[in-house]
Amino acid sequence: MEIIIKEDYDQICEEAVTIIHQTWKKKNDLVLGLPTGRTPLGVYNRLIELNQNQEIDFSRVVAFSLDEYLGLNKDHPQSFAYYMEKNFYRHINIKKENIFRLEGTPKDVDRHCQEYEEKIKSQGGLDVLILGIGRNGHIGFNEPSSSLSSRTRVKTLAEETVEVNSRFFENKDEVPRFCLTMGIGTIMESKMIILLASGEDKSEAVQKSMEGPVTASVPASILQLHPQAKIIIDQKAASRLIRRDYYQWVYRNKERVSDFLERKKTISD
Ligand code: PGA
């Protein structure tokens, strides 16, 4: 797990985009897992710019949505399908057939979830999955107490999540109570995970997830077990981390490690 602390929201987005861009340069048919919410918007905006400047090409990129409200069809303005189309897909040259999403109104929910898992596998698995984090430590819609080995399935939203998400609806009663989400086991199979967090209201969840015990009570804490998890957060989200100075020290020395290893290699050659 690598904890990268940047000054502000713009910088965390820039860092995430740089990593995605570099990964895409090595694999043009990148398989992405993508979330909705407030946090990833800056990443999508910057990727759109890069696409329009022809610095990144999405024609071979495949994208899977992380989650969806159950009961909303893809044209509902609050559905995650609508969000992804409006904020990202319609602005880039991704092919329609390369966009996979969880349906809000599937005929057979269990079967749909099973097929989603199979589709991810048939694309060779996720290369990079971007995640936000809930104030209660959720990732995707895996709320506290979700099995740490869960697969794509139906979940009930935590009351706190309904409350937080009600800002996008007329009132709290309109917020769906159920959703479909990639499971924590599904998430953990992504080759790389980038978790983004910005703002003071995420600082407690970030501290518990990164420095507390690995527990289903804080789903994001599972990322401590992922070999390629990059936790990119701004100063406010990092404000409660006990070892904040250490993470910054490691990050500052990162380039020196590569120089050091390169020099050592040259000497032994
Ligand atoms: P947010 O949501 O990006 O809107 O804060 C994150 C989440 O709930 O996972």
Side-chain angles (χ1 to χ4, degrees):
M1 193 172 64
E2 184 182 12
I3 300 180
I4 303 173
I5 303 170
K6 292 279 168 181
E7 203 46 43
D8 56 22
Y9 176 70
D10 287 347
Q11 285 192 15
I12 65 169
C13 294
E14 198 57 46
E15 181 75 17
V17 168
T18 302
I19 295 169
I20 296 165
H21 198 187
Q22 282 166 354
T23 315
W24 172 81
K25 282 181 186 161
K26 289 183 209 140
K27 186 175 183 285
N28 287 182
D29 56 350
L30 209 55
V31 181
L32 294 172
L34 299 174
T36 59
R38 171 183 55 110
T39 313
L41 281 174
V43 173
Y44 297 148
N45 288 339
R46 188 73 190 103
L47 285 172
I48 292 167
E49 259 174 45
L50 288 184
N51 185 228
Q52 288 172 352
N53 297 339
Q54 298 181 353
E55 289 175 62
I56 188 165
D57 172 17
F58 286 95
S59 61
R60 295 179 60 212
V61 170
V62 174
F64 284 87
S65 296
L66 178 64
D67 46 17
E68 181 58 280
Y69 285 124
L70 199 56
L72 302 191
N73 69 40
K74 66 179 175 33
D75 301 319
H76 190 291
Q78 299 311 333
S79 72
F80 293 168
Y82 188 93
Y83 168 106
M84 288 308 302
E85 196 56 39
K86 174 171 163 237
N87 294 304
F88 195 35
Y89 297 148
R90 80 160 64 137
H91 306 285
I92 59 171
N93 69 329
I94 191 165
K95 292 199 174 116
K96 286 243 171 316
E97 63 268 29
N98 288 345
I99 298 173
F100 296 95
R101 56 170 176 257
L102 285 159
E103 300 292 337
T105 52
K107 278 200 193 86
D108 180 335
V109 174
D110 291 342
R111 191 165 165 179
H112 179 57
C113 292
Q114 175 68 34
E115 284 174 358
Y116 202 63
E117 291 275 338
E118 281 157 17
K119 274 182 207 153
I120 295 173
K121 280 209 183 79
S122 73
Q123 295 293 331
L126 301 172
D127 293 308
V128 182
L129 172 62
I130 302 173
L131 294 175
I133 182 170
R135 291 183 210 174
N136 61 4
H138 74 201
I139 44 177
F141 270 139
N142 296 283
E143 302 284 20
S145 86
S146 288
S147 159
L148 296 179
S149 58
S150 50
R151 310 304 305 187
T152 302
R153 70 210 181 293
V154 178
K155 282 293 291 177
T156 306
L157 267 59
E159 215 173 336
E160 189 182 355
T161 304
V162 171
E163 190 71 52
V164 170
N165 290 6
S166 64
R167 66 193 193 275
F168 301 114
F169 292 81
E170 293 272 301
N171 59 59
K172 194 173 147 188
D173 293 335
E174 280 193 19
V175 185
R177 296 305 192 255
F178 306 103
C179 60
L180 297 178
T181 181
M182 281 186 200
I184 297 179
T186 324
I187 287 173
M188 286 296 280
E189 282 169 11
S190 178
K191 294 173 193 88
M192 184 194 288
I193 295 177
I194 297 175
L195 180 137
L196 296 166
S198 167
E200 169 66 32
D201 60 335
K202 300 293 173 74
S203 61
E204 193 181 341
V206 166
Q207 196 279 328
K208 285 186 178 159
S209 306
M210 304 311 142
E211 297 184 326
V214 173
T215 166
S217 298
V218 186
S221 64
I222 192 70
L223 300 182
Q224 293 177 33
L225 301 182
H226 195 284
Q228 277 279 18
K230 297 181 188 298
I231 314 302
I232 309 177
I233 55 184
D234 65 11
Q235 289 288 356
K236 286 185 178 154
S239 58
R240 290 182 201 225
L241 287 173
I242 298 162
R243 288 176 213 96
R244 176 159 56 150
D245 292 347
Y246 170 67
Y247 309 134
Q248 291 183 304
W249 162 262
V250 171
Y251 185 68
R252 281 200 302 276
N253 280 285
K254 201 168 133 183
E255 282 188 5
R256 293 201 208 157
V257 173
S258 339
D259 285 353
F260 176 76
L261 294 175
E262 197 49 49
R263 256 186 285 132
K264 220 167 149 248
K265 188 170 168 285
T266 317
I267 292 165
S268 56
D269 283 350

